[in-house]
Amino acid sequence: MAKKTLVLYFSVNQHTELLAKTIQEKIGADIEAVHPVEEYPDNYNVLVTMIKEQIEKNEIPAAKALEHKLEDYDTILVGTPNWWSHIAPPLLGLMQANKVEGKKVGIFATHIGGGIGGIEEAVKKEWPDNDYLESLEIYGDGGSNRDRLVDEWLEKVNLK
Ligand SMILES: Cc1cc2nc3c(=O)[nH]c(=O)nc-3n(C[C@H](O)[C@H](O)[C@H](O)COP(=O)(O)O)c2cc1C
């Protein structure tokens, strides 16, 4: 059977979404966005404070069920914004509810200066028994560099 890749991402302000779609288009993968069951507020400042509280209290919101089945894929590329140096809580919730093992897993994250923060560690803790690719972290949506950075990463991790 052909090797299958799923790009699984969470995004509020479309940076991670743009990155996810760029990766997906370049390798012809399937793609799915993760959504919390309870929608987050639209107001950025309200969201920032709310997420800080969620992280401090270690509250992990449930995510809506996925349309794709993770077990159908050989490779899963997981994307998240850096939120207070953490993985976005709904993506963590999704990962806790849907464990995978024996897969190739790649992590990509967007941020505004904080880099990958504790995201890599959090993903590896939730899904420990997988073969991890080198992670990709991008400032904002990568702007005019996004294409090149994605190409370079895909080559480095042998997905292209
Ligand atoms: C709640 C919240 C917390 C954030 N915390 C950080 C942070 O700690 N470090 C950082 O570099 N960027 C932080 N950011 C900025 C986002 O990581 C950045 O804008 C990201 O690209 C947004 O991704 P998205 O457009 O896919 O939602 C934060 C943004 C939000 C909304």
Side-chain angles (χ1 to χ4, degrees):
M1 212 170 72
K3 299 246 183 248
K4 285 178 73 181
T5 300
L6 177 68
V7 177
L8 184 67
Y9 71 96
F10 175 84
S11 178
V12 164
N13 295 113
Q14 283 77 52
H15 291 166
T16 314
E17 181 166 77
L18 260 174
L19 186 55
K21 287 183 173 169
T22 304
I23 294 169
Q24 181 244 338
E25 280 162 16
K26 286 180 186 285
I27 57 175
D30 291 343
I31 188 165
E32 184 161 357
V34 171
H35 297 283
V37 173
E38 270 187 51
E39 299 228 338
Y40 280 136
D42 287 337
N43 182 293
Y44 189 80
N45 293 331
V46 175
L47 176 70
V48 169
T49 311
M50 183 180 162
I51 296 303
K52 190 159 196 247
E53 249 180 55
Q54 263 184 0
I55 288 171
E56 280 170 359
K57 293 184 187 158
N58 202 20
E59 282 173 9
I60 302 169
K64 289 185 185 166
L66 292 176
E67 285 171 17
H68 295 84
K69 281 198 195 126
L70 297 184
E71 60 266 31
D72 289 348
Y73 295 88
D74 310 282
T75 303
I76 303 177
L77 304 177
V78 184
T80 178
N82 171 334
W83 274 3
W84 297 108
S85 294
H86 287 251
I87 181 173
L91 181 58
L92 189 60
L94 187 282
M95 292 182 70
Q96 288 184 345
N98 298 269
K99 297 280 187 180
V100 299
E101 56 181 39
K103 309 223 177 259
K104 257 192 212 168
V105 178
I107 302 163
F108 59 98
T110 68
H111 60 89
I112 51 168
I116 198 117
I119 292 165
E120 205 171 64
E121 205 185 327
V123 172
K124 289 180 178 173
K125 191 172 161 218
E126 272 334 304
W127 285 357
D129 299 316
N130 294 284
D131 185 11
Y132 279 87
L133 308 174
E134 189 178 318
S135 304
L136 171 68
E137 47 99 354
I138 280 190
Y139 186 97
D141 66 8
S144 57
N145 294 320
R146 187 175 60 255
D147 250 357
R148 177 180 56 79
L149 294 171
V150 169
D151 281 337
E152 286 172 3
W153 179 65
L154 290 172
E155 278 194 23
K156 202 170 3 170
V157 298
N158 260 333
L159 288 178
K160 205 176 165 189

